[in-house]
Amino acid sequence: MIVMKFGGTSVGSPERMKSVASLITRNDDPTFVVLSAMSGTTNTLIEISDYLYKKNPDGANEVINMLEKKYMGHVEELFSTEEWREKTRLFLTEEFDFLRSFTKDLFTSFEEKSIVAQGEIISTNMMVNYLHEQGINAVLLSALDFMRTDKNTEPDPQYIKEKLSAILKANEGYQVYVTQGFICRNAYGEIDNLLRGGSDYTASLIGAAIDAEEIQIWTDIDGMHNNDPRVVDHTDAVRQLNFEEAAELAYFGAKILHPTCIQPAKYAGIPVRLLNTMQPDAEGTIVDNVIMRGQIKAVAAKDNIIAIKIKSSRMLLATGFLRKVFEIFESYQTPIDMVCTSEVGVSVTIDSDRHLTPIVNELKKYGTVTVDAHMCIICVVGDLDWSNLGFETLATDAMKDIPVRMISYGGSNYNISFLVKEQDKKRALQNLSAKLFK
């Protein structure tokens, strides 16, 4: 069985939904489909929640009414028979009455997660109704019945596998199985979610649970490119990536793939194929466990980086200094991207200024602290094992005319990273493309 995931843009209009339906049914083999909410819906649901947090039910109801009108318009375009239009209208009426019910009671984060989950619930119900109208043997499986996180808010793969296997056994014989991405239940049975990018995660977890032949991530881009096409002209699609290479690119800025989503597929040995709904016959990019030796695959950039340098003469030969520094970041739940050390100091980068002030105040107990904002990490990915003579030189040579604040090399066999000013990002990406790929 193949798992096919379609993002919000891919199901962003009735016309796009019809295109997705044709892709789902291109072959006769059973297919497991994961859908996101229609593009813009999740943001609107968050806006409704924001009004309710602010105790403004009138504002929330106004947004709910506008969203309902929008979806009722979609019904007219999507369905060709009055029977399925009426069935979908009744479903949507119940959905939006459910959203209005939150305007009358106390509102907390638990209610917000229930509201945000409705985007995927609406899109999957509409898709299954459309498939039924087209005579396709399809069934809707609620992700809330099998997708669960544990007490550490991490997915529970054993639970998912057991529950999903039982559900599929009870629903044998269907051509298409449809479920929601992003949403789940937590360890206490409450509605929760896998955070942004969670639909990719859902697809990967399902693929691992059912031992799928392949996991397909359908977006509006032709696979992963070897550089950012918004910044660099004439980029090329990368046709194959190792899981480690894809993870590096995803973490450092390649928006097509969420960093966490490929881990379950990697451990299960299931290839992930990145495809384009606008060009369904394009080759796309396959991500698997194959390592292509001696190749630099791609460059990515991560913006809004902050560099923090802690300089201290007390660090010299002092055991425990780095532990104290890292514990400060851990206490504020702020992850570190890059690390460089010397005998008298350490520089790190973070991608959020949410707790910057208290972090800096804590670090000042151990040394002089310098902060550089508006920075950018440029990441070069490929077979960068240290035994490949000259590979790191190619990358550094491309950066010779650009001020580099930090360099990270050797922490991974697949990545060399440069920290530069955001204003130098475009020139850095263009220079690297010219040196590495032309």
Side-chain angles (χ1 to χ4, degrees), residues 112-349:
E112 179 184 16
K113 287 174 180 176
S114 292
I115 285 180
V116 172
Q118 301 314 305
E120 279 73 15
I121 290 172
I122 291 172
S123 66
T124 51
N125 273 274
M126 290 179 69
M127 176 60 77
V128 169
N129 283 358
Y130 178 73
L131 292 171
H132 286 162
E133 185 186 54
Q134 301 305 306
I136 306 301
N137 190 21
V139 63
L140 177 62
L141 306 180
S142 174
L144 300 178
D145 291 338
F146 62 85
M147 191 61 61
R148 190 178 79 169
T149 56
D150 58 23
K151 291 181 180 179
N152 297 316
T153 71
E154 294 294 331
D156 187 338
Q158 189 59 38
Y159 178 93
I160 295 166
K161 184 179 181 69
E162 290 176 1
K163 284 290 184 180
L164 188 52
S165 296
I167 290 170
L168 288 175
K169 189 173 181 179
N171 290 275
E172 291 180 342
Y174 287 95
Q175 181 184 352
V176 179
Y177 297 86
V178 180
T179 196
Q180 301 88 13
F182 178 61
I183 67 175
C184 64
R185 291 192 186 275
N186 61 26
Y188 309 100
E190 300 155 340
I191 293 177
D192 210 327
N193 58 63
L194 299 171
L195 304 179
R196 294 283 181 154
S199 292
D200 290 351
Y201 209 177
T202 300
S204 190
L205 289 163
I206 289 171
I210 67 174
D211 195 23
E213 177 186 341
E214 184 175 279
I215 299 164
Q216 298 179 354
I217 307 292
W218 290 81
T219 68
D220 55 355
I221 302 172
D222 180 21
M224 191 89 79
H225 278 237
N226 61 5
N227 211 322
D228 189 340
R230 298 166 300 181
V231 178
V232 179
D233 295 330
H234 311 299
T235 62
D236 296 317
V238 181
R239 296 308 176 194
Q240 187 275 342
L241 287 167
N242 177 267
F243 277 115
E244 299 286 352
E245 294 169 339
E248 296 279 8
L249 286 171
Y251 185 76
F252 285 104
K255 303 298 184 186
I256 191 172
L257 193 65
H258 196 269
T260 57
C261 88
I262 54 177
Q263 293 302 324
K266 172 190 172 183
Y267 296 136
I270 299 169
V272 176
R273 195 177 295 273
L274 311 176
L275 295 163
N276 185 357
T277 52
M278 311 300 178
Q279 297 177 300
D281 295 321
E283 186 178 346
T285 301
I286 190 163
V287 184
D288 53 29
N289 279 317
V290 176
I291 299 175
M292 298 182 71
R293 296 293 181 189
Q295 291 188 20
I296 293 178
K297 297 289 185 65
V299 179
K302 189 174 184 181
D303 297 322
N304 302 313
I305 300 298
I306 300 165
I308 303 172
K309 179 168 70 175
I310 308 100
K311 184 179 178 183
S312 173
S313 58
R314 290 182 293 166
M315 181 184 175
L316 186 65
L317 302 179
T319 59
F321 179 83
L322 285 177
R323 174 179 56 79
K324 293 172 184 175
V325 168
F326 291 142
E327 281 178 347
I328 291 171
F329 290 93
E330 181 183 5
S331 67
Y332 289 99
Q333 296 184 317
T334 301
I336 293 171
D337 290 322
M338 293 175 66
V339 181
C340 290
T341 64
S342 73
E343 287 293 346
V344 294
V346 56
S347 288
V348 302
T349 68

Side-chain angles (χ1 to χ4, degrees), residues 363-405:
L363 291 171
K364 284 180 178 178
K365 297 176 182 177
Y366 302 104
T368 305
V369 180
T370 306
V371 177
D372 295 312
H374 308 296
M375 305 296 285
C376 172
I377 294 176
I378 308 289
C379 173
V380 179
V381 168
D383 180 20
L384 287 158
D385 188 277
W386 66 278
S387 61
N388 291 332
L389 296 178
F391 273 40
E392 74 284 355
T393 305
L394 285 172
T396 53
D397 190 46
M399 302 289 288
K400 65 183 179 182
D401 298 324
I402 296 168
V404 176
R405 167 71 174 75

Side-chain angles (χ1 to χ4, degrees), residues 102-118:
F102 289 98
T103 64
K104 302 167 186 174
D105 298 313
L106 180 68
F107 195 78
T108 69
S109 61
F110 299 110
E111 285 75 26
E112 179 184 16
K113 287 174 180 176
S114 292
I115 285 180
V116 172
Q118 301 314 305

